[in-house]
Amino acid sequence: LLVFLGLALPEAQGRIISRCEMVKILRRNGFEGFEGTTVADWMCLVKYESNYNTKAYNNNGPSRDYGIFQINSKYWCNDGKTAGSKNACHISCSKLQDDNIGDDIQCAKKIAREAHGLTPW
């Protein structure tokens, strides 16, 4: 049983992106100065929303948050469970929980662009 749990845990946890790597990713993707924010703002967001975990998940009752940026299923992605989901990023929420965070970045920037900052978080 312990061997099974040990093998299952990495799958459930997802990829944990190091702080240094996350800074590089954010800089490379134009987050510095984006909609009046800094890379430090985004690092704080990612730390406290997902602890740098690509598979992070939070159940809020009627909606859920997914991925490294904790993108909400009521407005931004479709999880097939949230009634009246707007899916403004035109993406399945499950895509926000894989190790490729390119689509997470696009959606996070769309959210920040529409809100002119980080207020949705």
Side-chain angles (χ1 to χ4, degrees):
L1 180 62
L2 289 176
V3 171
F4 174 74
L5 289 174
L7 293 173
L9 271 177
E11 278 292 313
Q13 187 175 28
R15 177 176 168 218
I16 306 299
I17 298 176
S18 74
R19 287 178 39 202
C20 290
E21 184 181 355
M22 194 71 213
V23 167
K24 289 176 187 174
I25 290 168
L26 293 170
R27 284 184 179 151
R28 191 171 49 240
N29 285 280
F31 280 86
E32 185 62 46
F34 183 75
E35 292 297 334
T37 65
T38 65
V39 166
D41 294 330
W42 287 96
M43 286 297 291
C44 186
L45 183 148
V46 169
K47 166 68 178 158
Y48 290 101
E49 289 288 343
S50 68
N51 205 25
Y52 309 106
N53 185 349
T54 61
K55 279 200 193 273
Y57 170 85
N58 185 42
N59 189 343
N60 300 319
S63 67
R64 284 149 287 289
D65 298 330
Y66 294 88
I68 199 153
F69 294 105
Q70 289 292 275
I71 294 171
N72 188 267
S73 63
K74 181 166 177 66
Y75 303 104
W76 307 105
C77 64
N78 180 13
D79 64 1
K81 301 173 189 172
T82 304
S85 174
K86 305 225 182 319
N87 193 11
C89 287
H90 308 290
I91 190 169
S92 168
C93 296
S94 64
K95 292 288 292 165
L96 300 172
Q97 290 187 291
D98 60 20
D99 290 346
N100 176 359
I101 66 166
D103 43 15
D104 306 57
I105 288 168
Q106 288 179 331
C107 187
K109 287 183 97 172
K110 177 181 178 64
I111 295 167
R113 189 179 305 108
E114 289 187 12
H116 303 291
L118 301 179
T119 55
W121 283 277

